[in-house]
Amino acid sequence: MIIGIPKEIKNHEYRVGMTPASVRELVGHAHIVLVETNAGIGIGFTDDDYLAAGATVLATAAEVFAQADMIVKVKEPQAVERAMLREGQILFTYLHLAPDLAQTQDLIKSKAVCIAYETVTDARGGLPLLAPMSEVAGRMAIQAGARALEKSCGGRGMLLGGVPGVAPAKVVIIGGGMVGTNAAQMAVGLGADVTVLDRSVDVLRRVNAQFNGAVKAVYSTVDALEQEVLAADLVVGGVLVAGAAAPKLVTKEHIKNMKPGSAIVDVAIDQGGCVATSKATTHDEPTYIVDEVVHYCVANMPGAVPRTSTFALNNVTLPFIVRLANQGYKQALLDDVHLLNGLNVMNGQVTNQSVADALGFTAVNPLDALSA
């Protein structure tokens, strides 16, 4: 199979779909890997590094898209990239389609085979290709939130961990999953007063045990969420419903009544955000202010630490890339129900129920799509 690695073009996106080490694995399986020139430069890999791994370096993304059987990326394809997809071509990347009608329509039109990292599952019910980026984003959320609380950024002028004699900031984390627990780990390490909200008692028990009582684990009712958000200096939104749009748990009324200069980091923004006033921002302009509350809503947070993020992502995506290349997409999907769960769009049809529900499409059973 011919695998194509274009250079990422989203704002301040420096990650790359495959490292030279990953390329070497594919070449070792007798596949051809095409890499756009300077695709890995943002994480310190030159074209020579890819050539040494056995790749062919091409001058433009158009050449990569035109020749490749499978495109491996990091972020969702931008409009110019979607226009280069063709029928039957495999696209393997993060898609986050639920809040993105335009992208979904373009992928339907392309008739490409679109497999989303974020909906591939595992035997434990987890999301193994989303997990490493959730770890990164959760940890970064506290760095970003600490910065947003500084006065020069419009914040309250608080040091997250306080100092002896001065109380630390109150951090409220909505969701005790991968994002939430990693955010809590960083916040506790900095000495903040940390509360995690979740609707699963089992999750709350895990959080309580993991942090040995250093984090307050609170069951998330409407009333509890309101009380905690209004008392918070920093709110981190780490809610995830796989494949679906994130629920708007923090309302406009909550924002109006939060402390002036408090901050929100909405990590769920890739799926539309869990805060009613959230809108996607970029690393160029990461924050904006609504009702005196600083909002940080960067849609590709891990892109700010691309070297760490790329290696972490390749660790989990490489086995699936190899399987798709070795077996072809049909057999690979039929042999692995967890990879099949990653199929979002195929042959002009939406094959993920959550995406279809969010955008008003009729979902087609992925097995039916494959048999057709």
Side-chain angles (χ1 to χ4, degrees):
M1 182 179 285
I2 303 174
I3 298 99
I5 315 297
K7 183 177 170 66
E8 298 291 324
I9 59 173
K10 190 165 184 172
N11 180 275
H12 280 290
E13 183 52 72
Y14 303 107
R15 290 173 288 180
V16 62
M18 289 173 62
T19 64
S22 295
V23 168
R24 188 176 177 186
E25 290 285 327
L26 269 295
V27 172
H29 284 268
H31 301 294
I32 297 169
V33 182
L34 309 177
V35 179
E36 183 182 355
T37 185
N38 291 326
I41 203 73
I43 59 169
F45 289 122
T46 65
D47 289 348
D48 286 342
D49 293 322
Y50 281 99
L51 290 168
T56 298
V57 175
L58 299 179
T60 66
E63 293 174 90
V64 173
F65 275 83
Q67 297 181 46
D69 303 307
M70 174 165 61
I71 297 293
V72 176
K73 283 178 42 61
V74 178
K75 288 306 292 178
E76 70 279 358
Q78 304 302 291
V80 66
E81 295 173 309
R82 300 195 295 266
M84 292 188 281
L85 291 168
R86 64 178 185 274
E87 184 172 356
Q89 190 173 43
I90 306 164
L91 173 65
F92 194 35
T93 188
Y94 287 116
L95 293 176
H96 299 293
L97 294 179
D100 195 341
L101 178 60
Q103 184 193 176
T104 306
Q105 289 173 327
D106 284 349
L107 296 183
I108 289 170
K109 184 179 178 181
S110 75
K111 295 189 176 180
V113 179
C114 306
I115 305 170
Y117 293 160
E118 72 273 8
T119 61
V120 173
T121 56
D122 63 23
R124 298 180 301 278
L127 302 170
L129 306 193
L130 186 62
M133 296 304 94
S134 295
E135 290 171 333
V136 171
R139 295 180 181 214
M140 286 189 65
I142 300 305
Q143 296 179 190
R147 175 70 174 147
L149 283 174
E150 294 179 15
K151 193 67 176 178
S152 61
C153 297
R156 302 192 72 207
M158 295 187 72
L159 183 65
L160 203 65
V163 292
V166 181
K170 178 174 175 58
V171 177
V172 172
I173 300 168
I174 305 172
M178 194 66 71
V179 167
T181 53
N182 278 272
Q185 182 178 341
M186 296 296 286
V188 167
L190 289 171
D193 175 1
V194 184
T195 298
V196 172
L197 293 159
D198 203 282
R199 294 186 70 86
S200 167
V201 174
D202 287 339
V203 167
L204 296 175
R205 288 193 180 110
R206 174 179 53 74
V207 168
N208 186 67
Q210 179 177 344
F211 294 100
N212 198 27
V215 170
K216 293 183 280 294
V218 176
Y219 187 79
S220 185
T221 62
V222 171
D223 187 67
L225 185 140
E226 180 175 85
Q227 288 186 39
E228 294 295 337
V229 166
L230 297 190
D233 299 301
L234 170 62
V235 173
V236 175
V239 179
L240 174 70
V241 180
K248 302 294 186 186
L249 300 179
V250 179
T251 67
K252 291 180 179 179
E253 194 65 24
H254 291 151
I255 299 297
K256 287 179 182 178
N257 291 302
M258 287 178 69
K259 300 173 186 176
S262 56
I264 287 175
V265 177
D266 194 346
V267 184
I269 194 64
D270 275 329
Q271 294 293 132
C274 63
V275 178
T277 48
S278 288
K279 60 182 181 182
T281 61
T282 69
H283 289 292
D284 271 341
E285 297 184 41
T287 64
Y288 60 93
I289 296 174
V290 176
D291 291 327
E292 297 185 80
V293 176
V294 183
H295 291 56
Y296 179 102
C297 303
V298 174
N300 61 326
M301 288 177 66
V305 287
R307 190 170 177 88
T308 297
S309 298
T310 296
F311 278 99
L313 182 60
N314 271 218
N315 288 343
V316 293
T317 58
L318 182 59
F320 292 98
I321 297 168
V322 171
R323 202 175 309 158
L324 286 163
N326 285 352
Q327 298 180 255
Y329 75 85
K330 285 189 178 181
Q331 196 60 50
L333 292 171
L334 288 171
D335 285 354
D336 186 348
V337 67
H338 299 297
L339 182 57
L340 182 63
N341 288 335
L343 186 65
N344 278 211
V345 176
M346 178 181 174
N347 293 338
Q349 297 173 307
V350 176
T351 56
N352 180 284
Q353 189 65 56
S354 295
V355 171
D357 290 345
L359 297 175
F361 291 101
T362 299
V364 173
N365 186 298
L367 289 173
D368 292 339
L370 284 171
S371 64

